[in-house]
């Protein structure tokens, strides 16, 4: 049975730009009521204004989700405005490109705080409200935006990969725990995504692999896949041909994936004269 999004209350993090903004557009078009969470107050306010002009019932919630008080406020204001919660989409995240050896503890901890701990605590805060939604037959759901690097450990993004592996593990565990409450727990793994704000989400930029953003997946395609997975209840979805092949190869020919990764790292290092 498909999940109808009309009149559902959705709390969306990372909502002001990129994939999150595209998700918000699609949710509003389907008649959902959306709490929009992002750190950038000005851009979030503009996003909310544009969505309201398009007929959307939205609430702008500027917040730093690594802060417990901000998480509490975001959830409380969403419930206060819309009277409940049906869907939590965890879309906020950051990344870092570069060798692990030249990284720092601060970068690693920041990535884990935003990509994993903040997500985990948002789920913990929202679970009682999602449980109330389940008791009224509204088919609540949690959808975590993960990454192909959370399924396939990828050189040059070790911190990001670690945070997404942790999130994948949490998602799978909670899927089993929350099944008894009739709360769906879903995840979507994008590969490399075209970005209009990449610099805002990169904590460092020292790539070890050649990254072709011109051939990367458009954010619109990722947003479409996320909304489609939410409507269908698909537990796990991959976005992009390269991401699909990487996940398939990891399952069917893991040694070959390791060989390809090593060759790509060495080829890129030679091209950079290293």
């Amino acid at each position: 049975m498909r999940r109808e999004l009309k009149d559902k209350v959705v709390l969306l993090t990372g909502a002001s730009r990129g994939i999150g903004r595209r998700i918000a557009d699609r949710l509003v078009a389907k008649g959902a009521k959306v709490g929009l969470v992002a750190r950038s107050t000005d851009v979030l306010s503009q996003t909310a204004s544009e969505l309201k002009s398009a007929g959307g019932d939205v609430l702008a919630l500027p917040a730093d989700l690594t802060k417990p008080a901000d998480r509490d406020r975001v959830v409380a204001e969403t419930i206060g405005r819309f009277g409940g919660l049906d869907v939590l989409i965890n879309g906020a995240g950051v990344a870092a490109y570069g060798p692990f050896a030249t990284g720092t503890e601060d970068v690693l901890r920041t990535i884990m705080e935003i990509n994993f701990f903040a997500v985990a605590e948002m789920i913990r805060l929202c679970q009682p409200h999602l449980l109330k939604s389940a008791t009224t037959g509204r088919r609540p759901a949690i959808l975590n935006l993960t990454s192909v690097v959370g399924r396939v450990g990828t050189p040059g993004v070790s911190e990001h990969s670690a945070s997404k592996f942790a999130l994948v593990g949490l998602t799978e565990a909670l899927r089993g725990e929350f099944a008894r409450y009739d709360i769906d727990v879903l995840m979507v793994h994008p590969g490399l995504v075209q970005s209009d704000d990449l610099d805002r989400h990169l904590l460092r930029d020292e790539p070890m692999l050649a990254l072709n953003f011109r051939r990367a997946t458009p954010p619109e395609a990722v947003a479409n896949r996320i909304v489609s997975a939410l409507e269908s209840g698909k537990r796990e979805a991959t976005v992009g041909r390269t991401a699909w092949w990487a996940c398939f190869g990891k399952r069917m020919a893991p040694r070959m994936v390791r060989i390809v990764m090593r060759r790509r790292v060495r080829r890129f290092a030679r091209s950079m004269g290293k």
Side-chain angles (χ1 to χ4, degrees):
M1 184 173 67
R2 287 180 63 81
R3 174 179 288 103
E4 293 293 333
L5 295 177
K6 183 175 175 56
D7 294 326
K8 293 294 194 299
V9 179
V10 182
L11 185 55
L12 170 65
T13 72
S16 62
R17 294 185 174 93
I19 296 170
R21 171 57 198 268
R22 273 75 169 189
I23 297 170
D25 288 338
R26 284 148 182 78
L27 292 172
V28 164
K30 289 182 177 291
K33 303 173 182 179
V34 189
L36 306 165
V37 184
R39 288 178 294 177
S40 50
T41 303
D42 293 342
V43 178
L44 182 63
S45 178
Q46 180 181 345
T47 297
S49 178
E50 291 171 356
L51 291 170
K52 288 177 182 177
S53 297
D57 188 358
V58 301
L59 174 65
L61 297 161
D64 178 350
L65 294 179
T66 65
K67 298 179 178 178
D70 279 18
R71 293 194 296 265
D72 291 341
R73 175 177 52 80
V74 159
V75 175
E77 290 186 10
T78 300
I79 301 301
R81 166 67 180 275
F82 298 118
L85 180 65
D86 302 304
V87 176
L88 170 66
I89 301 178
N90 289 303
V94 294
Y97 297 153
F100 180 76
T102 61
T104 66
E105 182 180 351
D106 285 344
V107 167
L108 177 57
R109 288 187 178 277
T110 298
I111 288 177
M112 293 300 296
E113 284 289 347
I114 296 172
N115 291 2
F116 179 71
F117 290 114
V119 174
E121 295 310 320
M122 282 297 293
I123 293 171
R124 200 190 313 272
L125 277 174
C126 291
Q127 188 269 344
H129 304 289
L130 296 171
L131 180 57
K132 290 180 182 178
S133 173
T135 62
T136 59
R138 293 175 64 86
R139 295 200 65 206
I142 297 163
L143 190 149
N144 293 329
L145 181 60
T146 55
S147 170
V148 66
V149 304
R151 281 295 189 195
V152 183
T154 305
V157 289
S158 53
E159 300 105 336
H160 185 53
S161 193
S163 70
K164 293 300 186 178
F165 262 85
L167 183 55
V168 167
L170 179 69
T171 304
E172 291 185 340
L174 294 184
R175 182 180 297 146
E177 286 192 26
F178 289 3
R180 62 187 171 131
Y181 305 131
D182 293 323
I183 300 173
D184 287 346
V185 184
L186 319 171
M187 58 182 159
V188 174
H189 312 302
L192 192 64
V193 180
Q194 295 173 8
S195 177
D196 47 16
D197 63 340
L198 183 64
D199 58 326
R200 294 179 179 273
H201 297 281
L202 276 182
L203 300 185
R204 63 182 181 128
D205 191 6
E206 307 167 44
M208 292 181 64
L209 298 173
L211 302 172
N212 188 346
F213 282 95
R214 288 180 299 176
R215 298 184 62 183
T217 303
E220 292 80 6
V222 181
N224 288 340
R225 188 65 164 145
I226 287 170
V227 173
S228 173
L230 187 58
E231 290 179 316
S232 65
K234 189 173 181 62
R235 294 179 179 179
E236 185 169 352
T238 304
V239 189
R241 184 176 301 176
T242 302
W244 188 90
W245 277 110
C247 291
F248 179 79
K250 177 70 178 295
R251 291 195 304 268
M252 305 303 294
R255 183 171 180 271
M256 182 59 67
V257 172
R258 291 195 298 270
I259 291 171
V260 169
M261 290 289 188
R262 287 200 298 266
R263 287 178 177 174
R264 289 188 62 193
V265 170
R266 288 170 178 165
R267 188 183 305 125
F268 183 75
R270 287 196 298 268
S271 73
M272 300 296 289
K274 297 180 181 179

